Amino acid sequence: MSLYIDVTEFLASLRKTGIERINGEICRYLPPNTAIPVQFCSDCYVALPPALISAVGRYFRDGAEAEATEIRRLASARGSPVEILTSDTLLVPEIFAYERAKYFREMSNQQLQRCRFIIYDLLPFTHPEYFLPHLPGVMSEYFHIMRRANYCGFISEYTRDAFYGRLMRTATRGGVVLPLGSDSLGPRNSRPTANRSLAFTVLGTIEPRKNHALILEAFEPLLGKIQGLTLSFVGRMGWVDSDFARRVHALASDNRSGFQFHDAPTDSAIRIQIEQSRATIYASDAEGYGLPPVESLWLGTPVIASKTIPSLQALPGAGIHYVEPLDVERLRQAVLAFLDDGYANQKVEEALHLELPTWRSFTQEVLRWCNQDCP
């Protein structure tokens, strides 16, 4: 039996965020000689050198440009087409477009049983208002394949419920939930800093569903009036209203505003930003999982969050200050609560003792799932 891992989309971008991170972290923690990397080319998969997996793992651990160069070199050394036999398994830990959809669509049900698909979210269908109008149409081909798949893994209970309830229209729940890792920014702090400066950080791409405008509105009456209070947006500028984008850049250019914008931070810079923050803020209306809040908790920094974050729903609430319902005034009151050293330090201590999934444990669960016998 052979285990193949599809790295097609990752090789096209070499990005370290979002879905590409899942693929990269699996490669990072796969035991040696466990899987064969494959890439989809035209109408079939081709095998790539096994050394590619360890190169991808090093790239996600160190982020060095030399590793990116090595990945490109190994990816260019394509082997012969791969025939996936009855005893083999193909792990597809990424979303795919039309060419691969056609490939899977033409598979028989028996052939499709050899595939394991990791499903991230259904947000283009459940929250189309936050996406470009054509995206649900693009994704429909992908989810047509998922309806036929026997083995689907989900990154959260929320995603699994949405898949079966909204897409399959059934009360039955199948598949397996595979919680993502919290430790992509490095090892856990044994003793995070107490009595931190009044710095608050918002992590993630700036887009409407993540409510950056609401957060900024909650802070504006406080910035410049409370000594030392700062707010930072850390993440690239996404599809937002042009007026809001200009407002963000204007505030960031004013050294007296108490506001900062970091649009292309390294992993080490993100870690430092989190560790120095009194709390991070994640007030999204719609998520398939939500990595930034659990990454913050892993580093011992409390989170101010909306109630709709799937990654937090399995946790006991320690280290988290929920804002429910989410509005400007309640969010502002949450920020003011963290100005008290006693309360902020208590939340730091709570975060320190949370049991959180790691990327190693995620990869182990993925391997266990891939090794299950076919029905």
Side-chain angles (χ1 to χ4, degrees):
M1 169 190 158
S2 294
L3 172 62
Y4 298 97
I5 178 169
D6 188 344
V7 293
T8 306
E9 294 296 333
F10 170 72
L11 292 178
S13 66
L14 296 193
R15 290 175 57 192
K16 296 179 66 178
T17 57
I19 292 172
E20 290 83 3
R21 176 167 288 282
I22 281 78
N23 217 332
E25 297 287 358
I26 291 174
C27 289
R28 181 178 177 182
Y29 289 106
L30 275 176
N33 305 315
T34 299
I36 301 167
V38 294
Q39 184 178 22
F40 189 80
C41 298
S42 298
D43 60 354
C44 67
Y45 280 101
V46 295
L48 300 172
L52 179 68
I53 288 181
S54 57
V56 172
R58 290 192 302 271
Y59 178 64
F60 271 79
R61 186 186 66 231
D62 304 326
E65 183 57 34
E67 294 301 339
T69 301
E70 177 67 359
I71 289 170
R72 295 186 185 98
R73 185 187 72 79
L74 291 168
S76 67
R78 294 173 182 165
S80 57
V82 168
E83 180 184 1
I84 302 172
L85 304 175
T86 304
S87 58
D88 297 334
T89 298
L90 171 65
L91 172 63
V92 187
E94 53 185 31
I95 292 174
F96 49 83
Y98 290 114
E99 283 190 353
R100 267 186 291 174
K102 180 176 182 293
Y103 173 81
F104 290 120
R105 189 172 62 244
E106 292 175 353
M107 280 185 170
S108 68
N109 288 337
Q110 184 179 15
Q111 291 172 319
L112 204 58
Q113 287 179 2
R114 306 170 195 167
C115 304
R116 303 289 193 274
F117 299 97
I118 297 181
I119 298 179
Y120 293 87
D121 60 56
L122 289 166
L123 297 183
F125 292 99
T126 59
H127 295 82
E129 67 274 17
Y130 293 126
F131 295 88
L132 298 174
H134 71 278
L135 195 55
V138 171
M139 296 294 292
S140 63
E141 189 77 2
Y142 169 80
F143 285 114
H144 176 75
I145 305 302
M146 296 304 99
R147 287 187 183 99
R148 291 181 54 213
N150 293 94
Y151 287 97
C152 292
F154 303 91
I155 61 173
S156 66
E157 289 284 358
Y158 171 81
T159 297
R160 180 164 68 170
D161 287 347
F163 179 83
Y164 285 102
R166 298 286 293 272
L167 195 67
M168 302 294 284
R169 299 180 183 276
T170 176
T172 302
R173 297 293 183 266
V176 59
V177 176
L178 305 163
L180 306 182
S182 309
D183 59 334
S184 57
L185 296 175
R188 204 162 196 178
N189 289 321
S190 59
R191 181 52 55 187
T193 306
N195 299 332
R196 303 182 194 184
S197 64
L198 304 184
F200 292 82
T201 297
V202 184
L203 302 164
T205 301
I206 300 177
E207 54 182 289
R209 67 188 170 97
K210 296 183 186 292
N211 282 316
H212 286 77
L214 183 149
I215 294 169
L216 189 55
E217 185 178 351
F219 268 84
E220 280 191 305
L222 308 177
L223 293 171
K225 295 183 179 178
I226 298 175
Q227 186 176 3
L229 179 68
T230 63
L231 172 66
S232 298
F233 286 177
V234 178
R236 65 182 179 85
M237 187 68 71
W239 48 94
V240 295
D241 179 86
S242 57
D243 288 340
F244 183 70
R246 284 193 291 269
R247 182 179 169 202
V248 167
H249 286 295
L251 279 170
S253 64
D254 182 356
N255 294 330
R256 300 168 299 175
S257 68
F259 176 81
Q260 299 175 359
F261 174 42
H262 307 282
D263 64 345
T266 63
D267 282 357
S268 59
I270 293 173
R271 179 178 179 123
I272 291 170
Q273 182 76 37
I274 293 173
E275 290 175 330
Q276 294 178 347
S277 295
R278 184 157 283 225
T280 60
I281 301 172
Y282 208 72
S284 178
D285 281 331
E287 291 294 330
Y289 190 72
L291 274 175
V294 290
E295 290 173 339
S296 177
L297 291 168
W298 175 264
L299 295 176
T301 297
V303 177
I304 298 172
S306 52
K307 275 277 192 177
T308 57
I309 313 301
S311 63
L312 300 179
Q313 289 171 358
L315 301 179
I320 307 165
H321 183 118
Y322 284 114
V323 181
E324 177 66 23
L326 178 64
D327 59 33
V328 170
E329 184 55 36
R330 286 182 176 83
L331 179 57
R332 188 178 297 140
Q333 291 303 315
V335 172
L336 292 173
F338 271 91
L339 301 189
D340 177 75
D341 284 343
Y343 183 74
N345 292 340
Q346 172 194 330
K347 287 297 180 183
V348 167
E349 191 67 24
E350 291 174 2
L352 183 64
H353 293 98
L354 277 172
E355 291 188 15
L356 297 166
T358 65
W359 285 112
R360 185 182 298 278
S361 68
F362 167 77
T363 303
Q364 290 169 344
E365 288 301 310
V366 169
L367 281 178
R368 189 175 294 114
W369 172 55
C370 287
N371 288 327
Q372 288 176 350
D373 292 334
C374 291

